[in-house]
Amino acid sequence: MDLTEIETFLALAQELHFGRTAERMGLSQSRVSQLIRSLERHIGAPLFTRTSRRVELTLLGEHTRRTLGAAYTDLRRSYDEACAIAQGMVGTLRVGFLGCLNGPPLTDTVVVFGRRHPACDVVVTEVAWRDPYSPLRNGEVDVLLTLLPTDEPDLQVGPVLVSHGRVLAVGLDHPLGERESVDIEDLAGWVLLDGPAELPEALRHGFCPPFTPTGRPLRRGRGGSTYQEALHNVATGETVWTTHEGLFRAYRHPGVVHRPLSGLPRANGALVWRADTENAKVRAFTSLAARTVCDRAPAPARRPA
């Protein structure tokens, strides 16, 4: 029995229309008719009644749809599982993320990956801001969505999934909170929160540079091993925090406001993983993530004629 005959029969049994079935299968209508007639000859009786207006299943056709459909589903499942094993797409893929980067690009990728690779379980875990790379290095996660820049020789940097504008977080009564926007040059003389002591230096300097673009020194004060602790420090002191919009989509503090901040690059979040443990699951996930971001990107505006 030809597998194409079975697939075409099941499609026609669902569509009950030769034209729609042909379009769905990527075949001509004459080829669909040929395959159905061939299957009916093999079985020995009609599976459909056809008129100029309607296509309906016969009683035998309905019985065949149920029994053959279940068998085909099992066959496809076995085939897909065999392919997954051959390609290394089995077991568990552990995905870590910084809480400030959680959102549709990551969740969309996880959902689609799970549908495409049902033999591979995806476990998603939030990692600590103070030490984002340790879960990768100790094997707790296989791939991590983290903030850039990343200057770690043992880690491979993949596609950027999110990009957020920069903001300045200040206490409710802070003078800078009265402004509509703030430039990085305005922060000389204020104490900038630069995060926990364990934060990698490249990431620390990327978000809280030691100097403004014109060379004015910036005072930095460490504090807060979590995002909520950092917000608490901002709310209760003179410290200001050069962070990004994405953080305020996930976290709030009643004593903190944020204002647009210019003079610093956007906050980009990318997938990273250990170069020495890269495998088929990691490659498939990161490739899918890159395509997901491209699919979500708005189409370029057309120029007027």
Side-chain angles (χ1 to χ4, degrees), residues 166-184 186-187 190-193 227 230-244 247-248 251-261:
R166 300 300 297 272
V167 298
L168 182 72
V170 297
L172 287 177
D173 298 327
H174 197 283
L176 293 176
E178 299 176 0
R179 301 189 183 187
E180 292 187 1
S181 63
V182 181
D183 187 81
I184 187 65
D186 300 328
L187 302 185
W190 298 102
V191 178
L192 278 62
L193 184 147
Y227 293 122
L231 289 171
H232 174 80
N233 289 343
V234 170
T236 57
E238 295 296 319
T239 306
V240 298
W241 189 13
T242 55
T243 182
H244 59 89
L247 181 119
F248 286 93
Y251 300 92
R252 291 286 189 274
H253 191 291
V256 176
V257 295
H258 60 281
R259 298 291 180 261
L261 177 64

Side-chain angles (χ1 to χ4, degrees), residues 18 40 51 55 59 64 104 131 139-141 143 147 184 187 197 229 237:
F18 278 85
E40 289 176 329
T51 68
V55 176
L59 291 177
T64 304
D131 190 15
E140 292 178 23
V141 300
V143 61
L147 288 165
I184 187 65
L187 302 185
E229 288 179 9

Side-chain angles (χ1 to χ4, degrees), residues 1 5 35-48 58 60-61 64:
M1 186 181 297
E5 292 179 1
L35 289 167
I36 296 300
R37 286 196 300 270
S38 176
L39 181 61
E40 289 176 329
R41 283 197 301 270
H42 290 148
I43 292 176
L47 300 173
F48 296 92
T58 63
L60 177 62
T64 304

Side-chain angles (χ1 to χ4, degrees), residues 198-220:
E198 304 93 336
L199 201 64
E201 283 302 300
L203 187 55
R204 183 188 309 283
H205 288 173
F207 271 73
C208 184
F211 301 96
T212 71
T214 63
R216 302 171 69 188
L218 292 171
R219 298 167 56 197
R220 301 190 298 170

